[in-house]
Amino acid sequence: MQKNRSDFDQHVAQASAALEPRLICLRRDLHRHPELAFQEHRTAARLVAELEAAGLQPRGGVGGTGVVVDIDGGAPGPCILLRADIDALPIHEATGLPFASETPGVMHACGHDLHAAIGTGTALVMAGIAPRLHGRLRIVFQPAEEILEGAQAMIDDGVLDGVDMAIGFHNKPDLPVGRFGMVHGATTASSDRFVVTVRGQGGHTARMHQTRSPIPAVASLALALPALVPALADPAVPAILGLGMIQAGHSHNVVPDTASLSGTLRTRSETVRNTLQAAIARQCRAVALAHDVECALDYRRGVCAQVNDAALFVPVRAALRARFGDVIDELPPSMGAEDFALFSDAVPGFRFHIGSGQPGRSDRVHAPDYQPDEGSIRLGVEACCGILLELLARA
């Protein structure tokens, strides 16, 4: 096995280097033609063409606009899923790059064009040694990550059937290219959204006694809801109840019939999540009673927190260290959301970070001038291949 791993490692290094120009070309083409969630038709067709040209048999239309390709080993073994997301953002690009977006108001500002190239490269490299592997690799090109709906759509189409574990990755400009990031346990938060619509009785502000204004009720909720977190949540467990919008009325002297308030709840604890959801509903009922109005709560659960499987931390770290040396940073978790969480909630999963920061720049994802280092593509391919080989070897 040791000799095989040495041969595999040599193949991965050589094949990744040989593919690098092609993968950069692919990335730039996808960057020039970004597509929003569930609109990734050209992107999917381009990926299918790349995979078919290498003799693989990808399936399109999974989860709407997703692509899946299975790579079967020469002997039975576990099925490992590798997820790469492919959608862009509604941002007008301001990089000035020669391959900048040609679609006004749409940009790959989160690096999913890099992810698509890395996923493609990983599929092509691993296909070259497939007959010597024990198990199956399922490379998944997922749509609609930015709206947190693509993973569920693919799961509904059976992408997790027969899968034993799942690996995800994301580029990270906070880390210089050549470094990698890992997080213990929960890496992101759950993300729920809610809208409270308050209905009262409108009228003239000169005759307030004849109205039941919804505005004081909304104001009360705006103060009371965020206060639920310190009152009810364990202070050792991060939770954020953030309000993003309040809407009421159109004139200075007219009391509106309705007003609304909307926000999000994020936490890395399901217990805290359930507690605060129930408390929001109670608070709405209390405010409705106190102000003699109706409060309609529309609470929509989003994705759960993404939790890295403890048993996968060691082999993932071992794979990265074996290939790249001491270039791993252990990172704090984020309060953002990521729908890879739905994969890792169903099967053991692990999501790691690939450094994409260019020297001399201080980029951030979701910025109109985001310019990741394209050297992260080849390194990402090598990292993904190394992790997959390590997991297959330990199975």
Side-chain angles (χ1 to χ4, degrees):
M1 181 62 192
Q2 188 64 36
K3 182 178 185 302
N4 284 345
R5 281 303 302 274
S6 178
D7 291 345
F8 290 162
D9 290 344
Q10 185 177 20
H11 167 79
V12 168
Q14 292 176 347
S16 299
L19 283 170
E20 185 175 24
R22 175 178 170 184
L23 297 177
I24 290 175
C25 182
L26 170 63
R27 179 258 165 165
R28 293 183 178 185
D29 179 66
L30 298 179
H31 190 91
R32 186 177 285 113
H33 303 284
E35 295 171 303
L36 297 174
F38 292 127
Q39 299 175 28
E40 308 95 331
H41 301 288
R42 183 189 183 280
T43 301
R46 183 77 164 83
L47 295 173
V48 166
E50 287 286 338
L51 297 166
E52 287 181 340
L56 299 174
Q57 297 180 318
R59 294 177 285 126
V62 183
T65 46
V67 175
V68 177
V69 61
D70 285 344
I71 301 170
D72 290 323
C79 178
I80 305 176
L81 180 150
L82 178 74
R83 194 286 302 264
D85 38 11
I86 62 174
D87 56 326
L89 284 160
I91 293 175
H92 190 79
E93 182 161 352
T95 63
L97 293 169
F99 52 90
S101 171
E102 296 179 2
T103 305
V106 183
M107 176 192 175
H108 271 296
C110 200
H112 293 186
D113 49 345
L114 294 177
H115 299 174
I118 290 171
T120 300
T122 300
L124 301 187
V125 172
M126 295 302 287
I129 51 175
R132 301 166 63 189
L133 300 179
H134 292 243
R136 166 179 287 179
L137 304 178
R138 178 165 294 166
I139 313 298
V140 172
F141 299 90
Q142 181 206 305
E145 187 279 330
E146 295 293 355
I147 62 171
L148 303 177
E149 295 181 11
Q152 187 62 59
M154 298 197 85
I155 291 170
D156 291 343
D157 275 358
V159 77
L160 282 177
D161 292 351
V163 170
D164 296 295
M165 62 191 86
I167 299 296
F169 60 88
H170 203 288
N171 76 99
K172 192 170 183 65
D174 309 72
L175 297 176
V177 66
R179 297 197 69 83
F180 298 86
M182 298 178 65
V183 180
H184 284 279
T187 73
T188 61
S190 59
S191 179
D192 301 341
R193 58 183 176 176
F194 60 88
V195 178
V196 182
T197 302
V198 180
R199 294 182 177 86
Q201 176 64 53
H204 199 295
T205 56
R207 293 179 286 277
M208 292 294 295
H209 63 289
Q210 296 177 351
T211 72
R212 289 182 292 115
S213 175
I215 293 177
V218 165
S220 178
L221 287 170
L223 295 174
L225 294 184
L228 294 173
V229 173
L232 299 175
D234 183 342
V237 179
I240 300 173
L241 195 159
L243 303 179
M245 186 163 55
I246 295 176
Q247 294 180 318
H250 301 283
S251 176
H252 68 284
N253 63 349
V254 177
V255 176
D257 288 319
T258 64
S260 66
L261 170 151
S262 60
T264 61
L265 174 65
R266 300 170 183 269
T267 181
R268 294 196 289 271
S269 163
E270 278 299 302
T271 299
V272 170
R273 187 186 192 187
N274 294 334
T275 297
L276 290 175
Q277 179 181 352
I280 291 170
R282 287 198 305 272
Q283 194 67 46
C284 288
R285 292 193 295 270
V287 166
L289 182 62
H291 291 269
D292 191 24
V293 293
E294 298 177 6
C295 287
L297 172 63
D298 180 9
Y299 192 100
R300 301 192 180 188
R301 284 206 160 204
V303 298
C304 56
Q306 196 272 305
V307 181
N308 278 341
D309 187 82
L312 293 178
F313 188 92
V314 171
V316 170
R317 181 177 58 185
L320 294 175
R321 281 181 173 170
R323 178 159 295 279
F324 302 107
D326 187 17
V327 294
I328 302 170
D329 294 319
E330 293 194 13
L331 304 175
S334 164
M335 292 302 287
E338 159 65 75
D339 70 350
F340 180 74
L342 300 178
F343 292 130
S344 60
D345 190 52
V347 298
F350 198 96
R351 180 171 169 267
F352 70 103
H353 297 278
I354 300 169
S356 59
Q358 282 201 52
R361 292 186 61 87
S362 299
D363 280 302
R364 293 291 182 270
V365 294
H366 290 219
D369 62 344
Y370 181 42
Q371 298 181 44
D373 194 313
E374 291 180 324
S376 61
I377 297 175
R378 176 180 59 81
L379 295 175
V381 171
E382 290 192 35
C384 289
C385 291
I387 290 168
L388 295 174
L389 288 170
E390 183 71 25
L391 292 174
L392 290 175
R394 292 179 180 234

